[in-house]
Amino acid sequence: MSGTVAAVSSNGAYSFTKPNRGSIMLLAGLGVEGDVHAGVTVKHRSRVAQDPTQPNLRQVHLIHEELFAEVSAEGFTVVPGDLGENITTRDIDLLGLPVGTLLRIGDRAVLEVTGLRNPCLQIDNFQDGLLKQVVGRDEAGNVVRRAGIMSIVKQGGAVRPGDTIKAELPSGPHRPLERV
């Protein structure tokens, strides 16, 4: 399974959106160099308030570009970086990957998938009604989160638009993604 990096984004200050960059540098065990969410322990404000010593399983946020077309059909305008992701992907089923999948990006970088992004009300502050587009329920009433996945950096390296992404599934039984 493979895809491509459509865009990369980072921000050194807390904000909902992140500006696009020509490249980002991933740092092993930390996240995106210079990004407010980089670190060994949690940096997302809601997680810090719960327990600031938790390990940071949300170092790098990836979202699939195809979601933007889906929400556009419902009248929303979303472009790379708007939902706070660091890496916008194309042609790879991020939401279908199991926990522990390795994503080899470009020449050196390797991410390990930790789980699903848990969308919050800030999405509706960005565009009213958008939250219902990225989180909902299936026919059985189960919550379905579509706002991307979270990962940790296993091996650092530069990531640029156009880089190839290759997914390496874990051995053994696959665990479906849950919110982290």
Side-chain angles (χ1 to χ4, degrees):
M1 184 182 315
S2 64
T4 306
V5 174
V8 294
S9 309
S10 67
N11 199 340
Y14 280 105
S15 70
F16 184 70
T17 62
K18 294 186 178 189
N20 294 156
R21 309 286 183 193
S23 68
I24 56 174
M25 180 60 71
L26 300 182
L27 304 174
L30 296 174
V32 178
E33 182 177 47
D35 192 83
V36 70
H37 294 114
V40 174
T41 57
V42 293
K43 301 301 176 199
H44 288 78
R45 289 177 175 170
S46 63
R47 305 296 168 123
V48 170
Q50 291 174 5
D51 177 2
T53 66
Q54 295 177 71
N56 189 1
L57 301 178
R58 300 164 57 102
Q59 293 175 355
V60 181
H61 176 202
L62 299 93
I63 200 165
H64 51 296
E65 183 181 60
E66 292 82 2
L67 178 65
F68 304 157
E70 292 174 28
V71 300
S72 176
E74 299 298 323
F76 297 92
T77 302
V78 181
V79 297
D82 276 355
L83 298 182
E85 75 276 10
N86 299 111
I87 300 174
T88 308
T89 67
R90 181 181 299 134
D91 297 328
I92 186 167
D93 180 13
L94 296 177
L95 301 178
L97 298 173
V99 171
T101 298
L102 297 179
L103 298 174
R104 298 186 181 281
I105 306 175
D107 295 332
R108 294 192 59 234
V110 179
L111 299 176
E112 181 179 334
V113 176
T114 57
L116 294 168
R117 176 188 183 186
N118 190 31
C120 65
L121 287 175
Q122 289 184 44
I123 292 176
D124 271 349
N125 293 336
F126 173 67
Q127 287 185 44
D128 191 40
L130 184 57
L131 182 60
K132 287 184 181 177
Q133 300 298 313
V134 298
V135 66
R137 295 197 178 270
D138 63 15
E139 310 80 43
N142 300 309
V143 175
V144 176
R145 293 173 179 85
R146 303 181 332 126
I149 64 172
M150 306 307 287
S151 64
I152 57 172
V153 182
K154 297 300 279 185
Q155 181 173 307
V159 176
R160 297 171 186 84
D163 281 351
T164 300
I165 305 167
K166 294 181 182 171
E168 193 176 294
L169 300 177
S171 59
H174 292 172
R175 292 183 315 150
L177 298 177
E178 296 178 1
R179 71 180 179 95
V180 293

